[in-house]
């Protein structure tokens, strides 16, 4: 049995409020939380789903054809990346925004501000519910880890869009209104959550400043496509920021 002195839990602004809402609503393990009046929102936000064709055939092939599975993970994935890049360059920037660093053209990515803001807009009752659930969950984790002689610490992981907000503004990028709204909405969620963590006696590590510093140094931290996950260099920045914060405690 492990006896951890420290328990690190990541919170990702890109979908965790959305997932928290749906976890309580749909998973039997969390059924007891549904009776809490503070967590009773009218509905969770609708899942973001891309249009799919021939679903039944594709699902059957995925389960029964190794050739199709390999093609799906390689050829089809690359084609979808190309298609998404084409859509970003031709479509409205509030949906997909293709971007290149003006100071280093080899650096670039695709932002999805509309999708990101849908899961951070506190005007949505489901997102507000997700935030309340998140606060309650962290308090429960704090109590459970304390029973085991461990200390809970939360790592705040920003969206790709939020990481780039300061640099985009300082470099004069033309941003759709929804992008600016996203930057503000994520900051408001962070301020609310940080205040609650502080009052609950839970330490946190915000890795956004470290990521933003590297962006300003023209380092490719994310994939060139619309995927919001960092590449190896981005994960290294996150790890180094966590290590530095823990060393300073």
């Amino acid at each position: 049995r492990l006896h951890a002195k420290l328990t690190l839990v990541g919170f990702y602004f890109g979908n965790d409020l959305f997932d928290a809402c749906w976890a309580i609503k749909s998973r039997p393990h969390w059924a007891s939380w549904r009776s809490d009046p503070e967590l009773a929102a009218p509905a969770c936000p609708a899942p973001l789903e891309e249009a799919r064709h021939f679903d039944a055939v594709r699902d059957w092939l995925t389960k029964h054809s190794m050739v199709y599975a390999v093609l799906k993970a390689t050829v089809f994935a690359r084609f979808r990346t190309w298609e998404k890049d084409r859509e970003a360059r031709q479509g409205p920037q509030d949906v997909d925004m293709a971007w290149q660093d003006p100071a280093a053209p080899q650096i670039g990515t695709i932002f999805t501000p509309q999708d990101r803001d849908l899961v951070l807009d506190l005007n949505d009752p489901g997102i507000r519910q997700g935030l309340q659930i998140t606060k309650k969950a962290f308090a429960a984790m704090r109590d459970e880890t304390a029973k085991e002689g461990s200390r809970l610490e939360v790592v705040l992981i920003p969206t790709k869009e939020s990481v780039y907000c300061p640099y985009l503004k300082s470099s004069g990028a033309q941003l759709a209104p929804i992008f600016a709204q996203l930057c503000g909405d994520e900051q408001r969620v962070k301020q609310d959550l940080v205040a609650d963590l502080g009052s609950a006696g839970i330490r946190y590590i915000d890795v956004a400043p470290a990521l933003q510093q590297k962006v300003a140094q023209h380092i490719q931290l994310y994939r060139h496509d619309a995927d919001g996950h960092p590449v190896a260099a981005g994960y290294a920045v996150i790890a180094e920021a966590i290590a530095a914060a823990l060393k300073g405690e």
Side-chain angles (χ1 to χ4, degrees), residues 27-237:
R27 296 183 182 176
H29 180 79
W30 302 104
S32 62
W33 285 30
R34 296 173 199 160
S35 60
D36 188 335
E38 292 185 1
L39 307 181
C44 295
L48 297 173
E49 297 181 350
E50 296 182 0
R52 297 184 64 199
H53 305 287
F54 309 108
D55 278 10
V57 174
R58 292 169 62 177
D59 289 343
W60 187 91
L61 287 170
T62 299
K63 296 175 182 177
H64 297 89
S65 171
M66 183 58 69
V67 173
Y68 179 81
V70 171
L71 289 172
K72 181 179 179 182
T74 55
V75 177
F76 297 164
R78 286 196 293 269
F79 176 77
R80 180 58 187 144
T81 297
W82 172 83
E83 185 181 35
K84 194 74 173 175
D85 182 73
R86 181 180 60 82
E87 291 173 354
R89 297 182 188 285
Q90 297 178 357
Q93 287 196 338
D94 56 346
V95 178
D96 296 309
M97 173 185 168
W99 173 82
Q100 283 185 308
D101 189 336
Q106 75 277 13
I107 305 296
T109 192
I110 296 175
F111 301 113
T112 56
Q114 186 177 74
D115 286 352
R116 291 297 176 213
D117 194 57
L118 286 174
V119 296
L120 285 166
D121 185 0
L122 291 177
N123 291 318
D124 186 313
I127 297 302
R128 291 199 303 272
Q129 182 193 39
L131 182 57
Q132 292 303 113
I133 293 167
T134 299
K135 293 175 182 178
K136 182 175 179 177
F138 282 143
M141 292 180 201
R142 175 203 59 200
D143 295 343
E144 288 299 314
T145 53
K147 291 177 184 178
E148 299 296 326
S150 184
R151 186 184 82 248
L152 175 67
E153 197 146 344
V154 176
V155 180
L156 302 178
I157 304 172
T159 64
K160 173 171 66 175
E161 289 75 11
S162 177
V163 168
Y164 276 90
C165 278
Y167 183 71
L168 290 172
K169 292 176 181 178
S170 67
S171 61
Q174 296 296 314
L175 301 180
I178 190 63
F179 206 127
Q181 180 177 319
L182 165 61
C183 297
D185 285 345
E186 184 164 338
Q187 189 62 29
R188 280 186 285 276
V189 171
K190 181 192 287 189
Q191 291 171 347
D192 192 319
L193 184 56
V194 163
D196 187 78
L197 292 173
S199 64
I202 301 172
R203 294 181 180 179
Y204 68 90
I205 300 170
D206 183 5
V207 301
L211 290 166
Q212 290 167 346
Q213 182 180 39
K214 293 299 182 181
V215 162
Q217 295 171 2
H218 317 294
I219 297 174
Q220 185 79 40
L221 300 182
Y222 297 87
R223 289 170 46 162
H224 285 273
D225 58 26
D227 193 305
H229 295 86
V231 295
Y235 282 117
V237 173

